[in-house]
Amino acid sequence: MTETLRSADGTVIAYEHTGSGPAVVLVGGAFNDRSTTTALADALAPAFTAYRYDRRGRGDSGDTGPFSPEREIEDLAAVIAAAGGRAHVFGHSSGAVLSLEAAARGVPMTSLAVYEPPFRAGDAPRPGADLLARLEKAGDPDEAAALFLTEAADVPAAVVEQMRQSPVWPYLRAQAHTLRHDVALFEPDFAVPAERYRGVGAPVLVMDGGESPGWFHGAADAVAAAVPGARRVTLAGQDHDVLGRPEVLLPELTAFWS
């Protein structure tokens, strides 16, 4: 059953929870609403109470302006408060970055597991510094979605064109107005804010997939190096699209949270 809460600025945030046991909050990335973490929530339910929510502007949640990353941090803090005031957190992709930013700012977490926060480290190619401005000026959702996929997600233009003809495109298009929220988390240059992450006090697990592009591995290494005491794990045979395979994540998460 869908429930709602109000974030610090009054924005309505929609969420659901399932299962029993210690609270876990699941934070999706770009193009995700709470439906994308359903399979993982169901897999966790026998041992945990899994909370999944619509990030600001997605699904059934509101989108009060003006936007800033601090508003999304407040939203996550409000969901954790609804879960009892403290929770394990799992963040995927830009949801991993949002979760790290919240932890660095003192949002109470029992622990934090992140999968492939899409920073750029070392000499990895970086999106243009004007990507956020270009997304805000995009003429329509199709343009915004294609721009994000090619520049922020590093998807080849030919593949994006195929995606535009596929049944999944209307869903991606419907989320396109929130992509600026994701990119704003990486301002100004998609680099890992190592100094800030040294202030993360919760235990942290940093994961990536063995089949993902190399820049994901570099980003995961850089995050793990920045966060004191972080544990680093690579899931063999996996790529960025891991949310639909909870059986892969479950052993690592349950071991980390036990």
Side-chain angles (χ1 to χ4, degrees):
M1 183 176 68
T2 303
E3 301 179 67
T4 59
L5 55 80
R6 289 194 178 272
S7 191
D9 70 346
T11 300
V12 172
I13 301 297
Y15 70 98
E16 298 180 24
H17 64 87
T18 186
S20 60
V24 174
V25 176
L26 307 178
V27 189
F31 294 113
N32 288 186
D33 58 22
R34 70 182 188 273
S35 70
T36 58
T37 54
T38 299
L40 181 56
D42 290 345
L44 290 166
F48 299 93
T49 304
Y51 287 75
R52 51 193 180 89
Y53 74 103
D54 287 329
R55 284 174 55 189
R56 176 173 296 238
R58 309 171 195 214
D60 296 317
S61 289
D63 193 15
T64 307
F67 174 79
S68 73
E70 285 71 24
R71 301 292 80 77
E72 282 221 273
I73 291 170
E74 292 168 355
D75 299 344
L76 176 53
V79 176
I80 292 174
R86 197 173 191 89
H88 300 293
V89 175
F90 169 76
H92 177 262
S93 195
S94 70
V97 179
L98 171 57
S99 302
L100 284 161
E101 290 295 323
R105 287 164 170 79
V107 173
M109 300 180 188
T110 308
S111 69
L112 170 60
V114 297
Y115 188 88
E116 295 194 341
F119 291 109
R120 303 302 197 277
D123 59 358
R126 302 182 183 222
D130 63 345
L131 178 57
L132 180 58
R134 292 167 65 196
L135 281 170
E136 290 175 337
K137 293 177 181 178
D140 58 56
D142 296 287
E143 180 185 349
L147 176 62
F148 181 91
L149 287 166
T150 54
E151 296 209 14
D154 205 27
V155 179
V159 175
V160 173
E161 187 57 36
Q162 291 174 358
M163 293 172 67
R164 293 182 72 150
Q165 311 306 317
S166 75
V168 76
W169 190 256
Y171 173 82
L172 300 180
R173 189 179 188 277
Q175 309 291 330
H177 66 287
T178 65
L179 296 172
R180 61 194 178 94
H181 299 185
D182 298 286
V183 172
L185 292 166
F186 296 91
E187 290 287 279
D189 61 358
F190 278 72
V192 174
E195 188 62 35
R196 187 157 68 243
Y197 287 1
R198 290 189 186 99
V200 173
V204 173
L205 168 65
V206 182
M207 296 179 285
D208 65 353
E211 298 302 312
S212 293
W215 60 269
F216 278 119
H217 309 318
D221 288 343
V223 170
V227 177
R231 180 184 174 194
R232 176 77 172 85
V233 172
T234 294
L235 303 182
Q238 303 305 313
D239 57 19
H240 194 62
D241 188 22
V242 76
L243 287 178
R245 298 186 289 274
E247 70 280 0
V248 174
L249 290 167
L250 200 59
E252 293 294 340
L253 294 177
T254 54
F256 181 57
W257 292 334
S258 297

